[in-house]
Each structure stands twice: as structure tokens, then as C-alpha cells.
Amino acid sequence: MNRRPTLLVAITLTAAAAALSLSACGGGDSSKDQGKDNDKIAGADTGTEKSASPSASAEAAAGRPKIELPSDLTYTFEWPKTGDKEKDAVLSDREQSIKAVDLALANQDPLDKAYLYYYEGEAAAQTEQYIKAYVKAKARTTGISRYYNATVNLSDADSASLVYCEDQGRGYDMYLKTKKVNKTAVTKNSYVLYILQLRKSDKGVWAVEKLDSQRGSAKCQP
């Protein structure tokens, strides 16, 4: 999730791996496309709750937090349904957990209840540090995030792994006081590989327990 160069200094390498998402999730040195923050991608979801598709586990989970994001945040999830109910639930819950971190940034709250619903253990601790860095900088994410090349594996009924790519070329940091958007050029480091371990929580959702990232991965280059 941590994608922004200016904030990388404030985030440890471990926390950087945890920051996915968001606009929600990128690496601190990730690069951004100049002047395209208002572009829209065909088929992209905007940051509103209305655009989010309910997951299989979403229908079963009670008390799932509502995620309403600023309209300048846009998401494209290019991972078609697998046809397997649980694998599709993993992907859908990952979409929500990515957005939940961006919500915490928008709310400037390191203990925002939405992301804590989707993160546990080591990943929750890493993500909290990531959010704190943004709160300290009085910044949040903006722009377009694209996710693709997802592979889900189920270890058993309650554990899974997920590997996927993120294109951070049109995702940026925005400083809240001035509304200034920090843009940098797109490079190979704008493409990030994520590796997650997830567990089905007692709420019935696929929560992220561990995560790692590899910036500039050859597997994610266009």
C-alpha cells in the first residue's frame, strides 16, 4: 500500500510491505503518471460503496463496515471470477480490504474500524504503522489504482494465499492542508507484486494476516 516517495522515509520497510493498497497500497518509491489524476479507466470502480460488488462472504458476514470513499479515488480490479466460491470470496474481500485502508487514510485514523475488520496479526500492525505515517504527514491517497494477475490458492477451509500485481502509475499522495497532489514519473517501480496470507475470520471474511511486496517485479511489468 505505501506507494508514495515523499512518505517512504517515514515508513519502515516492513510497514511499506504492508501498505497495499492502497492508492491504498503501494510502495514508497512508486512512480506516478504526470497529469492524469482525473483520468478514468473503462470498467473501473469509483471509491463509493455503491460501486463495490458484494462478495460471497460479504453476504454471510454480519456487521461488515460500510466503506464510503472520496470520489477522487478509483479502482480497477482485473481479476475475473474463478468459478470457485471461496476463491472468489478471497478476491472480493481483498478488494474491500484495499479500500478500507484508503478509508483510514481519508479519515486520518490509524485505528479505523473498517480496515481492522479485514486485517489481523502482523498485517494489522504493519498497516497501522503505514496509516500513522500518512496521518503524521497530513496526507491521503488519490487517483487510480489497477490490480491484475491474481492467483488464489486455498490451503484448507480457513486459510488461503493470494498473489497479485498493482499498477500505481496513476495513484498519488494528496496533502490535505493545501490539496496539493504529488506526482512523479512512471517507471518500472510503479508496478508492484503482492504476496498475502489470509485466514477466514470468526466474522466469516477473508482477513489478511501476512503480506509482502516486491517493487519493480518482472511479473507485473506491462
Side-chain angles (χ1 to χ4, degrees), residues 29-195:
D29 61 348
S30 95
S31 310
K32 310 302 172 190
D33 191 8
Q34 300 284 348
K36 293 186 179 179
D37 53 311
N38 292 323
D39 289 354
K40 298 296 179 183
I41 300 175
D45 288 338
T46 60
T48 62
E49 174 68 11
K50 183 178 179 180
S51 67
S53 300
S55 68
S57 58
E59 298 171 356
R64 185 179 286 263
K66 189 173 184 180
I67 299 176
E68 293 181 322
L69 290 162
S71 60
D72 56 291
L73 285 165
T74 303
Y75 306 85
T76 298
F77 296 99
E78 297 176 359
W79 41 47
K81 289 187 177 298
T82 67
D84 181 286
K85 181 179 178 181
E86 286 302 329
K87 288 184 178 181
D88 288 340
V90 169
L91 292 171
S92 185
D93 285 348
R94 183 62 192 136
E95 293 179 16
Q96 296 306 303
S97 63
I98 286 171
K99 293 177 180 180
V101 174
D102 277 346
L103 179 63
L105 300 183
N107 291 339
Q108 294 282 280
D109 184 359
L111 296 176
D112 194 81
K113 65 179 183 180
Y115 94 83
L116 289 173
Y117 188 88
Y118 292 102
Y119 289 79
E120 295 183 347
E122 180 182 307
Q126 291 174 334
T127 304
E128 180 182 350
Q129 293 306 308
Y130 167 70
I131 297 166
K132 282 182 176 178
Y134 272 87
V135 172
K136 183 176 181 180
K138 295 181 173 59
R140 69 167 176 85
T141 52
T142 187
I144 299 170
S145 299
R146 182 172 72 93
Y147 303 91
Y148 55 102
N149 289 357
T151 301
V152 186
N153 286 299
L154 300 174
S155 301
D156 53 46
D158 296 320
S159 59
S161 63
L162 172 61
V163 178
Y164 66 91
C165 295
E166 181 188 11
D167 173 2
Q168 298 177 350
R170 285 185 279 180
Y172 314 100
D173 286 332
M174 181 174 73
Y175 293 89
L176 300 176
K177 186 174 182 180
T178 62
K179 303 301 181 184
K180 179 182 178 181
V181 176
N182 183 40
K183 297 180 183 178
T184 57
V186 175
T187 72
K188 69 176 184 179
N189 286 330
S190 301
Y191 304 94
V192 187
L193 179 71
Y194 292 100
I195 304 165

